[in-house]
Amino acid sequence: MKLVRYGAKGKERPGALDADGTIRDLSGMIDDIGPAALSPESLARLRETDLQSLPSVAPQRLGTPVARSRKFLAIGTNYRRHADEAGMPHPAEPILFTKAISCLSGPDDDILLPPGATQLDWEVELGVIIGSVARHVARADALAHVAGYCVVNDVSERAYQLARGGSWDKGKGYDSFGPVGPWLVTADEIPDPQALELFLEVNGTMMQGGSTADMIFGVADIISYVSGFITLEPGDIIATGTPHGVGMGMTPPRFLAAGDKLRLGIGGLGEQNQTVVPDAR
């Protein structure tokens, strides 16, 4: 099942895609696609729904496919070829950092270029959305805690991230640095999260192409590991790392500028399209 949230920012409504790709309104069944809607029991009820019987919705803006997430976590340097291009050793344990909840944005919303930013970079990633509480979870049980999967662009300002001291977080959390969606694809439709193809284009030129098979730590490893440090709750989002081809790894480096257009996606999980615009607020 493909779940969406549609409408103006801050006023999104819950929906699902039918077999023809038409959005069907779920607001008569659930108030939103928030933590309560992501439980295994709730998702089972939604899967039994005859979507054709629900009102159709005209194409419009999509928001993040999950509401009221309490945590937006991410894993760094988690693809072998990406580690190699960055000249970094393959980590012995997952590198964990946080993206600010305030950076979440819709899959096609503009990316804001912060004033004075010089090293804005892209990272297509597989996102994992938690559906049930995970605390000290064994690897063998980890995927049972997944509600679904989505596309994430882990937008990063590399100078903020790497050249200004402290943690990575301040290079990862600016407003609009967390496009998520277009859909939450429920876990039953993704039998193997380690067999998904990812891509990202800038201005029509392919920059990233890879497979989740290249992950150093797979989804089950990540959930098991993170749940030993942080209790994972329904609605939490984990971005699981990016394949090779980021701007920082090019010779010379290539960073985003105002007017650049991105297209990115993952097989079976949909595509995002964004334009970089100066933050004039």
Side-chain angles (χ1 to χ4, degrees):
M1 192 172 200
K2 296 179 175 66
L3 301 176
V4 301
R5 297 175 65 249
Y6 63 91
K9 191 170 185 178
K11 298 181 179 180
E12 293 92 346
R13 296 165 63 91
L17 294 189
D18 66 17
D20 298 323
T22 299
I23 299 174
R24 298 287 174 167
D25 182 19
L26 290 177
S27 58
M29 302 181 62
I30 54 175
D31 67 338
D32 207 343
I33 302 172
L38 299 177
S39 71
E41 297 77 16
S42 176
L43 291 178
R45 287 193 297 271
L46 290 176
R47 277 193 290 269
E48 294 172 358
T49 303
D50 177 10
L51 294 180
Q52 298 295 328
S53 68
L54 300 177
S56 62
V57 177
Q60 55 187 283
R61 175 190 176 272
L62 297 180
T64 60
V66 59
R68 300 189 294 278
S69 297
R70 296 183 63 183
K71 293 186 285 295
F72 189 5
L73 305 172
I75 305 299
T77 319
N78 193 35
Y79 280 68
R80 295 173 181 85
R81 292 184 64 186
H82 176 49
D84 294 344
E85 74 176 346
M88 298 177 68
H90 296 186
E93 297 187 27
I95 297 172
L96 176 64
F97 62 92
T98 298
K99 288 180 74 75
I101 290 295
S102 56
C103 84
L104 285 168
S105 60
D108 300 332
D109 291 346
D110 291 338
I111 294 172
L112 299 178
L113 180 65
T118 59
Q119 298 184 12
L120 191 66
D121 208 346
W122 57 82
E123 296 189 25
V124 60
E125 306 202 5
L126 172 65
V128 178
I129 298 177
I130 299 298
S132 59
V133 172
R135 185 183 299 113
H136 298 291
V137 172
R139 184 186 186 282
D141 302 323
L143 295 185
H145 294 270
V146 176
Y149 300 94
C150 60
V151 182
V152 173
N153 188 357
D154 176 19
V155 182
S156 308
E157 212 296 341
R158 300 300 189 187
Y160 296 178
Q161 176 189 356
L162 301 172
R164 299 188 62 174
S167 72
W168 288 5
D169 296 6
K170 61 180 174 281
K172 299 283 190 171
Y174 197 79
D175 292 355
S176 79
F177 277 21
V180 176
W183 319 312
L184 183 164
V185 180
T186 52
D188 59 296
E189 293 196 9
I190 307 297
D192 184 0
Q194 305 310 140
L196 301 174
E197 298 295 319
L198 310 86
F199 78 91
L200 183 144
E201 299 175 353
V202 178
N203 300 328
T205 299
M206 188 69 71
M207 298 295 186
Q208 288 186 279
S211 168
T212 55
D214 191 43
M215 281 186 182
I216 298 169
F217 304 101
V219 173
D221 299 301
I222 290 168
I223 292 171
S224 177
Y225 182 84
V226 174
S227 73
F229 299 94
I230 300 170
T231 296
L232 297 173
E233 302 168 294
D236 288 353
I237 304 168
I238 306 174
T240 57
T242 197
H244 68 287
V246 299
M248 178 180 64
M250 296 181 176
T251 305
R254 159 56 161 114
F255 296 116
L256 294 167
D260 283 343
K261 296 184 180 298
L262 292 83
R263 186 173 77 93
L264 57 145
I266 301 176
L269 302 183
E271 295 186 3
Q272 301 183 355
N273 291 271
Q274 295 126 19
T275 302
V276 178
V277 302
D279 186 357
R281 296 174 298 173

